Amino acid sequence: NKGKYEHYMQKEIHEQPESLTTTMRGRLIRGGSCKVKTVLLGGLKDHIKTIRRSRRIVFIGCGTSYNAALAARPIIEELSGVPVTMEIASDLVDRQGPIYREDTAVFVSQSGETADTLLALEYALENGALCVGITNTVGSAIARKTHCGIHINAGCEIGVASTKAYTSQIVVMAMLALAIGDDAISSQTRREAIIDGLIDLPNKVREVLKLDQEMKDLAKLLMAEQSLLVFGRGYNFATALEGALKVKEVSLMHSEGMLAGEMKHGPLALVDENLPIIVIATRDACFSKQQSVIQQLHARKGRLIVMCSKGDAASVCAGGSCRVIEVPQVEDCLQPVVNIVPLQLLAYHLTVLRGHNVDQPRNLAKSVTTQ
Ligand code: F6R
């Protein structure tokens, strides 16, 4: 049932404040007399110590689920100190890459049925790793075959393009980071800020959804373009990849997400006054580096659309002209959850304007059960 919405993708984008609330329900333990704030992930409770002691955490997934893990990687590394590596499921299987008994392999999949991810899971099980599932589908193959796991509880996702599952996956992995991270006094303030940030996140997503009309206007401006680049780094490298994936899979416009740090190593050759480029430059430790990327793109007359934190519009475009998308600022590791929303809206509106099928893009299936 689409309710008041025209498409499932639109409905699923707009219901993210609610799906995120459901994802966190019962899992964030607030206050109490001694004001301890903790995270409770029932499905992992017997395995937390093993994960914490593992030599490496390997995230494995495809498409949007891979991007969600990439968004969560920095906070898992920061809070747990365990090295994290990333594997696209098919590539791990193609290479028969090394997976060891001392590894924790985390399988991220909305459907829990993706063939490539399932094959990688069988491979990791054979190699003796502890296998953890993060899925949105109770009773799915990945949920059943892993040793333990977390359900993201985002509710059924019908649109082929994954939207609310992506943001819920990131939130689950941020909670995973808190659960496996040690609670040393030195990290207490950071942990509490993240927990407070999580609790307030549905409100911030509600706020960013108000950009709907602005994104529709931007879509009108871009609808006849051939191509769109998205530059991000740090926490928002994943946002660049995921924003571009949304645009290409539903609107059928070519789009590439790129690591801004790689710009000078090739992509800069593409820059001219015609190619639209979205630069994600919200406030975090990478902000000044992104400012210098913007300056370099300006110097080459790049056609820029900058996503920045509220209040930064004037300063990010200093010395040049560009369109801005202002988003509410949240704790840095949660910013990808907020930043992806305008790009989901942009992909949605581009698709409607270009006259393509929003919920069932050509050649794609919701659950990819073949290799
Ligand atoms: C993109 C999309 C796909 C899936 C990928 C993995 O919007 O939906 O890229 O993310 O096929 O699917 P799951 O998460 O079900 O394993």
Side-chain angles (χ1 to χ4, degrees):
N1 187 322
K2 296 196 277 272
K4 62 177 178 178
Y5 297 103
E6 270 173 65
H7 303 99
Y8 284 109
M9 181 186 180
Q10 185 189 27
K11 171 174 178 272
E12 287 159 3
I13 292 171
H14 286 274
E15 73 191 11
Q16 290 178 104
E18 290 74 38
S19 52
L20 290 171
T21 303
T22 322
T23 297
M24 291 187 274
R25 184 162 296 142
R27 289 169 162 173
L28 293 177
I29 313 302
R30 248 200 238 240
S33 54
C34 52
K35 294 217 163 111
V36 184
K37 293 176 181 166
T38 48
V39 170
L40 207 77
L41 297 170
L44 291 189
K45 68 177 187 314
D46 299 330
H47 297 88
I48 290 287
K49 280 196 185 135
T50 318
I51 302 174
R52 202 175 275 156
R53 287 196 208 114
S54 49
R55 200 167 67 174
R56 172 177 77 142
I57 295 170
V58 190
F59 275 114
I60 301 161
C62 309
T64 291
S65 293
Y66 174 91
N67 293 343
L70 188 66
R73 176 195 204 176
I75 194 60
I76 304 236
E77 287 177 333
E78 179 192 325
L79 294 186
S80 72
V82 181
V84 178
T85 60
M86 301 294 308
E87 292 284 358
I88 292 175
S90 64
D91 187 48
L92 176 67
V93 174
D94 288 348
R95 292 176 5 253
Q96 298 280 294
I99 296 284
Y100 302 107
R101 297 183 63 82
E102 301 81 7
D103 287 335
T104 295
V106 183
F107 295 83
V108 188
S109 172
Q110 189 284 130
S111 64
E113 303 290 349
T114 301
D116 288 323
T117 313
L118 263 171
L119 278 173
L121 169 57
E122 274 153 27
Y123 174 73
L125 287 168
E126 279 162 23
N127 285 276
L130 173 69
C131 294
V132 180
I134 297 182
T135 78
N136 195 30
T137 317
V138 178
S140 61
I142 290 171
R144 283 185 280 110
K145 292 182 181 175
T146 41
H147 296 115
C148 57
I150 319 170
H151 286 299
I152 68 166
N153 299 336
C156 186
E157 192 179 63
I158 293 170
V160 164
S162 185
T163 52
K164 63 175 181 171
Y166 177 72
T167 47
S168 283
Q169 284 166 336
I170 299 175
V171 160
V172 157
M173 288 183 266
M175 293 194 288
L176 175 65
L178 290 161
I180 59 177
D182 72 63
D183 45 12
I185 302 286
S186 56
S187 59
Q188 240 1 286
T189 317
R190 171 72 157 154
R191 294 172 59 86
E192 286 191 17
I194 297 170
I195 294 178
D196 290 341
L198 282 168
I199 293 168
D200 197 34
L201 200 53
N203 289 330
K204 294 292 197 266
V205 170
R206 207 165 279 126
E207 202 178 316
V208 78
L209 280 165
K210 292 185 186 147
L211 294 176
D212 191 39
Q213 184 60 45
E214 205 176 308
M215 290 305 110
K216 191 173 177 179
D217 295 342
L218 182 60
K220 280 181 193 152
L221 202 76
L222 298 179
M223 65 179 284
E225 296 299 334
Q226 299 275 343
S227 186
L228 172 69
L229 300 189
V230 191
F231 281 163
R233 72 196 310 146
Y235 291 107
N236 289 291
F237 172 37
T239 310
L241 295 186
E242 176 60 10
L245 177 59
K246 286 297 87 105
V247 169
K248 79 180 108 181
E249 74 174 322
V250 285
S251 82
L252 318 188
M253 179 188 289
H254 170 252
S255 185
E256 292 300 324
M258 291 176 177
L259 187 67
E262 280 285 284
M263 184 181 73
K264 288 185 205 158
H265 305 289
L268 201 52
L270 291 171
V271 178
D272 62 14
E273 62 276 27
N274 301 314
L275 174 68
I277 304 174
I278 298 180
V279 182
I280 303 166
T282 41
R283 290 271 174 174
D284 61 20
C286 296
F287 180 63
S288 62
K289 288 187 183 170
Q290 283 303 74
Q291 281 181 304
S292 97
V293 162
I294 292 167
Q295 276 165 10
Q296 293 171 45
L297 290 170
H298 270 320
R300 284 155 188 91
K301 302 195 169 37
R303 195 173 150 204
L304 303 190
I305 301 144
V306 178
M307 184 184 294
C308 65
S309 302
K310 252 189 192 148
D312 275 346
S315 59
V316 286
C317 285
S321 67
C322 62
R323 212 180 156 101
V324 292
I325 306 169
E326 279 189 277
V327 298
Q329 191 181 346
V330 296
E331 194 69 8
D332 53 10
C333 60
L334 304 177
Q335 195 69 50
V337 174
V338 169
N339 290 3
I340 195 60
V341 175
L343 303 180
Q344 294 171 340
L345 290 168
L346 176 65
Y348 170 75
H349 288 298
L350 276 173
T351 310
V352 174
L353 288 165
R354 286 160 66 93
H356 297 302
N357 189 330
V358 176
D359 288 329
Q360 287 189 307
R362 71 175 183 207
N363 310 337
L364 298 182
K366 181 68 184 157
S367 183
V368 186
T369 52
T370 51
Q371 265 185 284

